[in-house]
Amino acid sequence: MTANAKITIDAGRASDHTVNPYLFGHFVEDIRDHMEAMLAYPLKDMDFESEAAGQTGVPGDWRHYTNGRNTTYALEAPALRHSGRAVRIRILSDDEAYAGITQTAALKGPMDYTVKLVARASVELKYVLVEAADRRMEERIGLVRIDLSSHNWQEYEAKLSVSRACTDAEIRVYVPADHPRWHDQVSTGMLWLDHVSLLPADSIGGVKREVMEMTRDLNAGMMRLAGNYISAYHFEHGIGPVLERPVMYNEAWGGWTCKYFGTDEFIQFCRELGVEPLICVNDGSGTPEEAAQWVEYCNGGIDTPMGAQRAANGHSEPYNVKYWEIGNEVWGDWQVGSCSADQFAERCVAFAEAMKAADPSLVILACGHTDQAWNRAVLDIAGEHIDYLTLHLYHGLGRFGMNRNTPAGERYKAIAAFAEWTRDDIRRTAEQIRANAKHRHIKLAITEYNTMYYPNTGRKGLPDEHTLGAAVANAANLNEFLRSSDLVHIGSFSDLVNGWLGGCIRVGDYYADQYRGKIPGWSGHPLTVYGTPTYEVLKLYANRDIRRMLSVDVACGSFSVLSHKPTPAGFDALPDLDVAACINEEGSTVTVFIVNRSLQEVTAELSLSGLEVSGEALLHEITGDSFEEINSVFAPDRITCKVSTVPEEAWQRGLLLHPASVYALEIKGKYVS
């Protein structure tokens, strides 16, 4: 069945306000495997920080590598000023054995890797080997010898050339059996390892090249560093020489906070992408003074204490980070330092005053909520000290009283209604902002948003957050951001890479389990990097030449969402089409974003006034055979954005819009007054 629709656009009625490019921002959080997926290091537990798992004397993912009957392993304190632990290996010469440690990893190839070791050894041990081998074929694919020059701790660096890619490789660091033997006595045959890492030559600032390239294509505008872990994060633990940074337990998500992606690395990441950084400070277990120090570290001159420290760390010029966020979901009891709205507002004032004393030019964001009682308190107490109020919008089935047993089509329609909830949340928050002159200057920042089909626990496999249906919902949500762009200036999609469940860039074949991290599957494609259908949507929207909003009128069919809970008015007749229209600054390109949320084909006629059309239009289309389709390591490009040309008479006569699909029509021409 095909329904008919008509879209009427007036290019002569452009909005006074402009669309902020930060509306299409993204979000980096140290959650689950986000950093592991984003960063290029193939080894885990590089500083031997995790607890021993299975074999004594070696931590985490490391294992014994020896054929010696008398080889012993033990954990010791690390090298001076280093974090984690050291592994001590005692080798008896009489065993005539090899001995060391090993870990499995997926390696790219052919590729050169930089090997870093921090080691010390008893004087008769002259070298170690670092070897990469194919575990299944028992084939060596890389080998480098590292000569040991000191009995004291020493940092060593070498190049390991890996001849080919191997998804099931073994990295071995060991003293070989043919090493010249020694006479066993009190202090002989001892090797200590404090750090072992590999980094591929094609990485960019420690980030996987593929991730960096895909992120660059997102044209994010802004990148946010934040999340639940921030409320227990102390920035000074993530600056300075990497090996001297302490290992911090990730109190929000378990495991270890990634010390290899601190402030300096985040700023480098943003600069490589050409995006504006947004940093959220620790207001949970941190203090206003600590937040002010973080500001000074980023923005202070070298004549300030923290600016001098930044310069000593190799960055003499200030970073000039303008946007700073106070508090991440402080209203949630999963947050360190969770408190009442009044308490947070008072805290927010203290933080804002301290941070602006360090840099008066800061733009301050403060934690808001969809609960308007929270917003009312924050605005009344802290409104004069802040520039933005934040919202986190995760649209899920719980709002409708649905669960896994609800038919798939009904679940889809509920998620496709994302934009309706967003509109209601923005409207109610805007009313609070405009209620008093002292905080009417405040704008909105949606610093986290995504679909959330099920409760946030215990799901395994690629979840529905990765489907074409989720992409449709997120596209309609972006349309609502655009329609509200006089007030909403900032958006941050959650997350960028893997992470909880919604990362729009996916690395590898891991099954997600939100409650306790990930469970690895095995497809043979752990190196595959691909985008979800929502990735295609985010890339589509952010790369269009749009500046101002246009007036749009849509006449189309409707669908209803069967809710078991009360909802705002209108869910019994939601428009099939969600449409937003924009024009560029020059008035030469009209872009029409059309989301067919329905489960039927729609033929949509377009009527455009105020623009003298020239040439064919470009039609961008994101569609598939079913709203349940996904991209995966087996079919990473099943859902992509396809571009075609459309003559003027074709879109005037009617565009055929597939069910559960997203479109952007770009029409060139000349503005007619």
Side-chain angles (χ1 to χ4, degrees), residues 44-358:
K44 305 172 189 175
D45 291 316
M46 296 184 287
D47 301 290
F48 308 110
E49 61 269 27
S50 296
E51 298 300 318
Q55 291 184 315
T56 58
V58 290
D61 290 88
W62 294 100
R63 301 185 306 279
H64 301 162
Y65 182 66
T66 184
N67 62 345
R69 292 179 301 167
N70 300 297
T71 303
T72 58
Y73 293 79
L75 293 174
E76 290 189 1
L80 184 65
R81 296 187 298 276
H82 285 196
S83 62
R85 289 173 287 190
V87 173
R88 184 184 76 238
I89 306 166
R90 176 72 187 273
I91 312 163
L92 292 191
S93 179
D94 288 349
D95 279 355
E96 297 183 352
Y98 60 83
I101 57 174
T102 185
Q103 183 180 143
T104 58
L107 299 178
K108 301 166 69 172
M111 178 64 63
D112 289 338
Y113 283 81
T114 297
V115 180
K116 283 192 177 180
L117 300 183
V118 176
R120 60 183 291 253
S122 52
V123 296
E124 68 286 339
L125 293 185
K126 302 301 183 184
Y127 65 91
V128 295
L129 299 180
V130 179
E131 180 182 22
D134 185 317
R135 284 205 319 146
R136 298 188 177 190
M137 300 179 65
E138 272 302 318
E139 173 193 352
R140 176 183 289 171
I141 57 175
L143 181 71
V144 64
R145 168 175 162 154
I146 297 178
D147 292 325
L148 303 172
S149 59
S150 177
H151 178 258
N152 207 345
W153 288 112
Q154 187 80 23
E155 185 174 331
Y156 299 94
E157 188 171 305
K159 182 175 76 174
L160 175 67
S161 295
V162 174
S163 61
R164 61 174 175 81
C166 182
T167 58
D168 191 15
E170 187 170 72
I171 302 299
R172 303 160 178 168
V173 183
Y174 64 102
V175 176
D178 59 2
H179 186 289
R181 294 290 106 178
W182 53 90
H183 177 64
D184 289 329
Q185 48 188 330
V186 174
S187 179
T188 56
M190 292 190 184
L191 172 67
W192 289 264
L193 296 170
D194 171 84
H195 169 88
V196 180
S197 66
L198 300 178
L199 190 63
D202 71 341
S203 64
I204 302 174
V207 176
K208 287 184 175 75
R209 174 170 291 277
E210 299 87 348
V211 169
M212 185 68 82
E213 290 172 348
M214 289 189 68
T215 305
R216 186 177 285 112
D217 289 344
L218 284 169
N219 193 27
M222 177 174 276
M223 189 66 64
R224 175 178 182 251
L225 181 70
N228 288 357
Y229 87 104
I230 283 289
S231 66
Y233 180 78
H234 300 287
F235 84 96
E236 63 271 27
H237 294 175
I239 59 175
V242 171
L243 295 179
E244 296 181 14
R245 298 176 186 178
V247 168
M248 288 186 293
Y249 186 74
N250 190 327
E251 296 175 44
W253 300 111
W256 302 100
T257 298
C258 180
K259 71 177 190 178
Y260 292 88
F261 195 80
T263 301
D264 300 306
E265 291 78 16
F266 173 65
I267 298 300
Q268 181 182 359
F269 182 60
C270 291
R271 288 187 170 175
E272 181 69 34
L273 295 168
V275 301
E276 187 79 19
L278 164 61
I279 294 177
C280 185
V281 298
N282 174 4
D283 83 309
S285 62
T287 65
E289 294 74 22
E290 181 181 14
Q293 285 185 321
W294 201 351
V295 171
E296 186 177 282
Y297 182 84
C298 289
N299 298 353
I302 59 174
D303 56 341
T304 64
M306 296 308 297
Q309 189 169 340
R310 183 195 65 244
N313 291 335
H315 310 280
S316 58
E317 293 299 317
Y319 292 145
N320 297 321
V321 179
K322 183 178 180 181
Y323 292 85
W324 293 80
E325 185 176 356
I326 301 172
N328 181 86
E329 298 178 4
V330 185
W331 32 264
D333 58 9
W334 53 86
Q335 198 73 33
V336 174
S338 176
C339 62
S340 70
D342 286 0
Q343 290 171 321
F344 169 72
E346 297 288 353
R347 203 157 77 191
C348 186
V349 171
F351 271 76
E353 289 178 340
M355 293 164 69
K356 286 199 171 185

Side-chain angles (χ1 to χ4, degrees), residues 494-511:
S494 172
D495 281 339
L496 180 64
V497 188
N498 286 29
W500 59 286
L501 292 174
C504 65
I505 298 173
R506 306 301 301 177
V507 177
D509 58 343
Y510 291 104
Y511 298 108

Side-chain angles (χ1 to χ4, degrees), residues 255-468:
W256 302 100
T257 298
C258 180
K259 71 177 190 178
Y260 292 88
F261 195 80
T263 301
D264 300 306
E265 291 78 16
F266 173 65
I267 298 300
Q268 181 182 359
F269 182 60
C270 291
R271 288 187 170 175
E272 181 69 34
L273 295 168
V275 301
E276 187 79 19
L278 164 61
I279 294 177
C280 185
V281 298
N282 174 4
D283 83 309
S285 62
T287 65
E289 294 74 22
E290 181 181 14
Q293 285 185 321
W294 201 351
V295 171
E296 186 177 282
Y297 182 84
C298 289
N299 298 353
I302 59 174
D303 56 341
T304 64
M306 296 308 297
Q309 189 169 340
R310 183 195 65 244
N313 291 335
H315 310 280
S316 58
E317 293 299 317
Y319 292 145
N320 297 321
V321 179
K322 183 178 180 181
Y323 292 85
W324 293 80
E325 185 176 356
I326 301 172
N328 181 86
E329 298 178 4
V330 185
W331 32 264
D333 58 9
W334 53 86
Q335 198 73 33
V336 174
S338 176
C339 62
S340 70
D342 286 0
Q343 290 171 321
F344 169 72
E346 297 288 353
R347 203 157 77 191
C348 186
V349 171
F351 271 76
E353 289 178 340
M355 293 164 69
K356 286 199 171 185
D359 184 347
S361 70
L362 300 187
V363 174
I364 299 292
L365 293 73
C367 174
H369 195 4
T370 53
D371 179 351
Q372 297 308 317
W374 174 280
N375 292 339
R376 190 177 308 117
V378 172
L379 291 168
D380 288 346
I381 296 171
E384 293 170 289
H385 298 267
I386 65 176
D387 304 286
Y388 284 85
L389 193 67
T390 70
L391 292 177
H392 288 183
L393 304 180
Y394 288 103
H395 182 56
L397 302 181
R399 283 178 156 174
F400 300 96
M402 295 181 177
N403 56 37
R404 296 172 186 268
N405 297 320
T406 304
E410 295 302 320
R411 286 187 276 120
Y412 163 76
K413 288 190 288 185
I415 293 298
F418 193 170
E420 312 302 321
W421 287 102
T422 296
R423 182 181 304 116
D424 189 63
D425 288 329
I426 291 174
R427 177 189 59 79
R428 292 185 299 111
T429 307
E431 289 174 357
Q432 293 296 332
I433 291 172
R434 293 165 182 154
N436 192 310
K438 75 175 184 179
H439 47 63
R440 285 180 192 149
H441 66 282
I442 290 174
K443 303 298 183 182
L444 276 180
I446 316 296
T447 51
E448 292 184 30
Y449 70 92
N450 203 341
T451 58
M452 187 176 286
Y453 268 76
Y454 298 123
N456 207 14
T457 56
R459 288 176 279 170
K460 300 178 179 68
L462 283 177
D464 290 331
E465 281 80 4
H466 298 178
T467 62
L468 176 61

Side-chain angles (χ1 to χ4, degrees), residues 481-546:
F481 286 3
L482 288 168
R483 286 189 288 267
S484 305
S485 54
D486 59 331
L487 184 65
V488 180
H489 289 185
I490 294 171
S492 301
F493 180 79
S494 172
D495 281 339
L496 180 64
V497 188
N498 286 29
W500 59 286
L501 292 174
C504 65
I505 298 173
R506 306 301 301 177
V507 177
D509 58 343
Y510 291 104
Y511 298 108
D513 179 349
Q514 169 69 7
Y515 185 60
R516 281 291 180 267
K518 66 183 184 183
I519 298 175
W522 185 255
S523 66
H525 301 283
L527 297 172
T528 300
V529 182
Y530 64 96
T532 66
T534 291
Y535 171 86
E536 297 294 326
V537 164
L538 295 164
K539 184 171 65 170
L540 171 66
Y541 275 68
N543 283 285
R544 307 281 64 79
D545 183 12
I546 59 176

